[in-house]
Structures are given as structure tokens and as C-alpha cells.
């Protein structure tokens, strides 16, 4: 029985089922960013996928574990449900990495089968985004400046209307996963604006009066909130830059970020829009497998839509390279 140089059995009986292989390729490339020279099922491709998956998960496992710990700590401090989407996604990412990291190169088929059998509580896209942003998220969650601002807001929440609004926004960012809210960017934005407000020394009663005038039509609500986001020289420095996606080639200016923040805070009274995103990418050996993966994506979208409440924005993206040669 022939074996490769790494000791992996290359006989036909050692290969996984085509459906299992196809799902493992989709998750390996989509979540872990593994690139394969050959996606058609073979002993060589099996060995390559197993080796590259191990390299990735062993490198990112420490961050995946630390992210869950940091999120749980902040959730406890701010009274956030530990079953929120961001924590469920982070736990799924950690469980995926842990299920694979302990295996060896000799277990290529076992690695592929474990990857294909992974059960993600939110979505593969959310898990990929969580892992990709893990280092920046951890840095933000452990930043003494951010933590100090959140602690001050929590201490003033009941007596200070503006502090309460900033804290609600911070909690919203921590509840929603990386597909909907970028933790490292948006939490720093809120913390920076809140810090400027706290340092301005504006009395709580005056802030409440301003909000009252806004509701009565005296001033636009966004203008009132914009007055809180000052002065310009008080800010929290951004974390180290993350890789820029192709769709975001031009960075937003500081003015754009402030407008976005005030619009977000001003729209708190509106019913939130639930974003539901399901994505599948990869290659499949035949059309039958492609249909199964498509059906799986649709089922996941239906389940998420059924569980959602209020207005929703549904996005289902399936991109599959079908290498069917007519067999």
C-alpha cells in the first residue's frame, strides 16, 4: 500500500467522500484562507489540504482562545448576554481550531473530515471575519484607554443621558459579530467620542436639556449629538492597520467617521435592521455536490431568517467552481 513522503496512505480507500471533501475545501479556503494547487480530490490534494489547515489553525489558535476570554470579560463587566452573536461566533472559531490543532499530518483524512463536520453557530463568513480580526479585536478589548472610558460610562449611566447613549452603542457593537460591526474600528470610535464628552465636563442636566430641545424640534438631533463629539484633539489612537479588503481601497476621513457615529446614535429610536448573510465559496467535483452545498446555504439562510425579528436584509452568496467533466 503506497504512502506519500509524509506517511499518508495514498490508496483510494483512504480518501474521504466527495461531498466531505467539497465541504472541507469550501471551509478551508473560505474560513482559514488556505490555497490549494489542486482542488480535485486526490491523495496529493488531501495531503496538501491537511498540511496547510494544520499550519493555519496552530498559528491562530492562541488568538482564537484569547478573543473568547476577552469578550467574556467585557460582556460580564457591561452586563451583556454571553449568548450574543459575537461571542457565539468567537466560540465557534475557537472550537473549530481546537478540533483540528491536535491532529497530525498522518491524519490528513481525519483532518478533512473534522473540518467538513464543523458546526458553526452563526455562519462561516462570520467565523472567517472573527478570526481575521482577532488580533485587532483583542488589542481593542484590552486597551486601557477604551476600558477606562467604558468604566466611566458605566458609572454615570443611570444619571447621565449622554453617557447612557454611548454605553448602549458600545454594548451594541460588542453584541453583534464582525460581519455587522467592526469591533476594533467602531468601539474605538465610540470610546473616543465618549472620552471627548467626558473630558468636556458638560453637566448631565445640560445634556438632557439639549436632547429635550432636539425632540421638540428646536435643534436637529444629529446636530446636538455632533456637539458632543469634540474636541478634535482628544482621541484614542487607532490600532495597527489591518489588511485592506479590495472593496475598501480609500480610507474614510475622520470627518466621515464622526458623521457615521452621530448618525448611528441619532437613529437609536428606529427599529434596527437585521443583517443576515450566508456565503459559500470553493470548488466541487460535480453538480450533485454543488446542489447539496447550495441547498445547505439556503437552509442556513431560512433558519436565520426565521429566527430574526423586524426588518431584515438577507444576502446569500454561493460561488462554486464545478469541475464536472461530464461523468
Amino acid at each position: 500500500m503506497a504512502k506519500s513522503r509524509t506517511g499518508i496512505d495514498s490508496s483510494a480507500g483512504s480518501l474521504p467522500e466527495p461531498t466531505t471533501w467539497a465541504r472541507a475545501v469550501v471551509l478551508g479556503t473560505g474560513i482559514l484562507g488556505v490555497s490549494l494547487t489542486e482542488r480535485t480530490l486526490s491523495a496529493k490534494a488531501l495531503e496538501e489540504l491537511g498540511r496547510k489547515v494544520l499550519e493555519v489553525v496552530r498559528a491562530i489558535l492562541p488568538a482564537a482562545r484569547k478573543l473568547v476570554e476577552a469578550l467574556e470579560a467585557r460582556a460580564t463587566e457591561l452586563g451583556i448576554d454571553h449568548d450574543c452573536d459575537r461571542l457565539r461566533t468567537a466560540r465557534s472559531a475557537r472550537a473549530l481550531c481546537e478540533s483540528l490543532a491536535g491532529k497530525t499530518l498522518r491524519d490528513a483524512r481525519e483532518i478533512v473530515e473534522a473540518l467538513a463536520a464543523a458546526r458553526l453557530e452563526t455562519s462561516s463568513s462570520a467565523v472567517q471575519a472573527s478570526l481575521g480580526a482577532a488580533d485587532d479585536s483583542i488589542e481593542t478589548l484590552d486597551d486601557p484607554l477604551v476600558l477606562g472610558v467604558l468604566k466611566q460610562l458605566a458609572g454615570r449611566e443611570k444619571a447621565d443621558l449622554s453617557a447612557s447613549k454611548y454605553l448602549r452603542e458600545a454594548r451594541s457593537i460588542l453584541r453583534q459579530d464582525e460581519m455587522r460591526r467592526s469591533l476594533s474600528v467602531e468601539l474605538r470610535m465610540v470610546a473616543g467620542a465618549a472620552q471627548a464628552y467626558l473630558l468636556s465636563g458638560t453637566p448631565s442636566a445640560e445634556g438632557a436639556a439639549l436632547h429635550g430641545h432636539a425632540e421638540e424640534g428646536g435643534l436637529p438631533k444629529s446636530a446636538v449629538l455632533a456637539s458632543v463629539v469634540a474636541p478634535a484633539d482628544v482621541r484614542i489612537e487607532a490600532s495597527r492597520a489591518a489588511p485592506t479588503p479590495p472593496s475598501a481601497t480609500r480610507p474614510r476621513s475622520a470627518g466621515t467617521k464622526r458623521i457615521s457615529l452621530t448618525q448611528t446614535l441619532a437613529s437609536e429610536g428606529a427599529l434596527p435592521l437585521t443583517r443576515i448573510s450566508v456565503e459559500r465559496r470553493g470548488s466541487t467535483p460535480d453538480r450533485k455536490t454543488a446542489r447539496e452545498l447550495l441547498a445547505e446555504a439556503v437552509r442556513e439562510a431560512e433558519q436565520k431568517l426565521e429566527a430574526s425579528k423586524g426588518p431584515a436584509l438577507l444576502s446569500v452568496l454561493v460561488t462554486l467552481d464545478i469541475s464536472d467533466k461530464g461523468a
Side-chain angles (χ1 to χ4, degrees):
M1 189 174 291
K3 290 189 177 182
S4 71
R5 58 185 177 84
T6 58
I8 297 175
D9 183 2
S10 62
S11 64
S14 70
L15 299 180
E17 294 295 323
T19 302
T20 299
W21 169 256
R23 177 170 169 78
V25 169
V26 169
L27 295 181
T29 56
I31 295 179
L32 303 176
V34 171
S35 59
L36 298 175
T37 55
E38 177 58 66
R39 297 192 177 194
T40 302
L41 178 56
S42 66
K44 181 180 179 181
L46 177 65
E47 178 183 333
E48 181 184 22
L49 180 58
R51 173 172 50 79
K52 290 187 174 181
V53 164
L54 277 186
E55 291 174 356
V56 172
V57 297
R58 287 174 178 173
I60 63 178
L61 179 56
R65 285 173 170 164
K66 189 173 181 181
L67 178 59
V68 174
E69 294 172 0
L71 284 171
E72 288 178 342
R74 300 295 88 78
T76 299
E77 293 166 2
L78 299 179
I80 298 173
D81 184 4
H82 281 217
D83 196 40
C84 63
D85 280 353
R86 189 177 291 278
L87 259 169
R88 291 171 61 214
T89 298
R91 290 194 192 103
S92 291
R94 179 184 64 182
L96 174 65
C97 293
E98 288 179 339
S99 69
L100 298 168
K103 301 188 183 304
T104 68
L105 286 176
R106 291 179 176 272
D107 305 323
R109 176 174 177 173
E110 192 175 330
I111 293 170
V112 167
E113 290 176 342
L115 179 59
R119 291 294 173 260
L120 310 176
E121 290 192 42
T122 50
S123 70
S124 58
S125 300
V127 170
Q128 186 276 331
S130 178
L131 288 172
D135 288 334
D136 286 339
S137 296
I138 293 167
E139 185 178 337
T140 300
L141 291 167
D142 290 342
D143 190 315
L145 291 177
V146 174
L147 296 180
V149 170
L150 293 178
K151 184 176 181 179
Q152 290 184 64
L153 292 176
R156 298 174 60 167
E157 180 179 14
K158 294 182 179 180
D160 189 325
L161 178 61
S162 295
S164 176
K165 280 183 173 288
Y166 284 120
L167 193 56
R168 285 204 302 273
E169 185 68 8
R171 286 181 177 132
S172 177
I173 294 167
L174 287 167
R175 287 190 189 100
Q176 300 176 67
D177 63 32
E178 202 69 18
M179 291 294 292
R180 299 176 65 184
R181 309 292 295 269
S182 170
L183 189 150
S184 61
V185 173
E186 297 194 43
L187 189 59
R188 286 184 182 277
M189 285 171 54
V190 172
Q195 183 190 45
Y197 165 68
L198 294 169
L199 292 176
S200 70
T202 303
S204 173
E206 183 178 334
L210 285 173
H211 284 292
H213 288 309
E215 296 295 340
E216 295 168 4
L219 286 173
K221 193 172 183 182
S222 60
V224 175
L225 288 170
S227 68
V228 175
V229 186
D233 57 335
V234 180
R235 66 186 185 279
I236 294 181
E237 294 297 333
S239 61
R240 59 186 177 80
T244 305
S247 59
T249 54
R250 291 185 299 177
R252 292 183 296 174
S253 66
T256 303
K257 290 183 179 179
R258 289 184 181 178
I259 293 172
S260 174
L261 173 60
T262 56
Q263 288 175 341
T264 299
L265 293 171
S267 63
E268 286 183 357
L271 196 61
L273 180 67
T274 301
R275 297 180 182 275
I276 302 172
S277 178
V278 177
E279 184 174 354
R280 295 288 188 276
R281 295 177 183 273
S283 63
T284 64
D286 51 52
R287 283 169 171 74
K288 178 182 178 182
T289 305
R291 286 193 294 269
E292 290 173 353
L293 292 171
L294 176 60
E296 178 186 313
V298 172
R299 284 196 300 272
E300 181 180 332
E302 290 175 342
Q303 291 171 359
K304 292 182 179 297
L305 186 60
E306 185 68 23
S308 67
K309 297 180 180 179
L313 177 61
L314 175 63
S315 172
V316 180
L317 175 61
V318 180
T319 306
L320 300 175
D321 178 8
I322 305 172
S323 56
D324 192 344
K325 298 181 180 179

